[in-house]
């Protein structure tokens, strides 16, 4: 089915480890974004992209890197995981001028 | 900086009752979204409000938007247990590239 696919669904990391959260969409959407969800704080924007080769920071970018080499993929990299990065991560996409975001199913990350 | 505030943050109500969730935002916006989230799940889109005075209804839920007051409401009519979930409003200032979310309203509907 068309949509936004996030992998993995669950991950446990040790402090200092690095990893990449994958996000792929097959709807040819130009805009993609990453959010983290923490209890009582809603979802907060980490990074976003308005097209291949173009990325920008959101509200909480520290500790995360992104790149957008293709329209389909928007991976989120944790360079050196910290316990404060324990959260649920959601990727979303939307077509230019579109009226609805499509969210992935989320990645639940625990850093110990 | 755009701020989005929801109230109440927690809402416990009885089946059959009516209630309203409020969403205030701080700057002019292109569009406003309402989402539902069940525990451990992703976000389910409920409504997209694109203009001042927009009103949309789906079942027992009705959403409205007043861009002059920078206020959206989500009205629940004759609540049922299946409506128990967390509801988020989110504002898009940039015609589609990113969202700013409210804190969410955790709704519990009791029999």
């Amino acid at each position: 089915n068309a949509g936004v696919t996030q992998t993995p669904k669950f991950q446990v990391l040790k402090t200092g480890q690095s990893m990449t959260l994958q996000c792929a969409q097959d709807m040819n959407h130009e805009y993609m974004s990453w959010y983290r969800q923490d209890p009582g704080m809603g979802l907060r924007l980490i990074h976003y992209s308005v097209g291949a080769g173009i990325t920008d920071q959101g509200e909480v970018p520290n500790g995360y890197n992104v790149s957008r080499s293709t329209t389909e993929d928007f991976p989120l990299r944790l360079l050196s995981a910290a316990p404060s990065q324990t959260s649920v991560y959601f990727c979303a996409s939307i077509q230019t001028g579109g009226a609805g975001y499509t969210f992935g199913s989320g990645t639940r990350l625990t850093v110990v | 900086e755009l701020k989005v505030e929801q109230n109440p943050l927690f809402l416990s109500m009885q089946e059959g009752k009516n209630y309203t969730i409020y969403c205030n935002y701080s700057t002019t916006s292109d569009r406003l979204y309402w989402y539902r989230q069940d525990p451990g799940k992703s976000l389910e889109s409920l409504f997209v409000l694109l203009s001042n005075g927009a009103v949309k209804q789906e079942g027992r839920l009705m959403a409205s938007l007043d861009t002059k007051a920078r206020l959206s409401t989500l009205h629940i009519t004759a609540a049922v247990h299946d409506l128990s979930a967390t509801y988020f409003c989110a504002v898009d200032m940039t015609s589609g590239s990113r969202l700013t979310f409210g804190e969410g309203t955790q709704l519990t509907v009791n029999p």
Side-chain angles (χ1 to χ4, degrees), chain B residues 72-105:
Chain B
S72 181
T73 60
L74 180 66
H75 186 72
I76 303 157
T77 302
V80 293
H81 179 70
D82 285 352
L83 290 179
S84 297
T86 299
Y87 293 85
F88 291 96
C89 65
V91 174
D92 184 345
M93 288 181 61
T94 58
S95 297
S97 64
R98 57 202 185 272
L99 292 169
T100 300
F101 283 83
E103 306 97 318
T105 297

Side-chain angles (χ1 to χ4, degrees), chain B residues 14-49:
Chain B
Q14 285 189 315
E15 282 190 330
K17 299 294 186 182
N18 304 331
Y19 209 84
T20 300
I21 299 171
Y22 297 88
C23 175
N24 291 273
Y25 55 98
S26 59
T27 60
T28 303
S29 168
D30 287 321
R31 57 193 67 188
L32 188 138
Y33 297 80
W34 283 97
Y35 291 95
R36 168 182 172 144
Q37 186 180 41
D38 293 299
K41 302 294 187 181
S42 186
L43 282 79
E44 173 189 352
S45 179
L46 295 175
F47 301 107
V48 181
L49 303 171

Side-chain angles (χ1 to χ4, degrees), chain A residues 2 9-10 23 31 34 48 52 57-58 85 88 97 99 106 110:
Chain A
K9 294 190 182 301
F10 302 93
C23 176
Y31 297 158
W34 277 102
Y48 65 98
Q57 297 180 351
Q85 294 177 304
V88 181
T110 302

Side-chain angles (χ1 to χ4, degrees), chain A residues 32-81:
Chain A
M32 298 184 73
S33 48
W34 277 102
Y35 302 84
R36 61 176 288 173
Q37 183 176 25
D38 302 300
M41 301 187 73
L43 281 76
R44 293 181 292 169
L45 180 68
I46 305 172
H47 286 284
Y48 65 98
S49 169
V50 297
I54 307 170
T55 64
D56 206 346
Q57 297 180 351
E59 180 184 356
V60 288
N62 292 341
Y64 307 95
N65 278 356
V66 292
S67 60
R68 183 102 179 267
S69 57
T70 67
T71 300
E72 294 78 19
D73 299 299
F74 191 41
L76 180 71
R77 297 183 184 85
L78 283 70
L79 302 179
S80 179

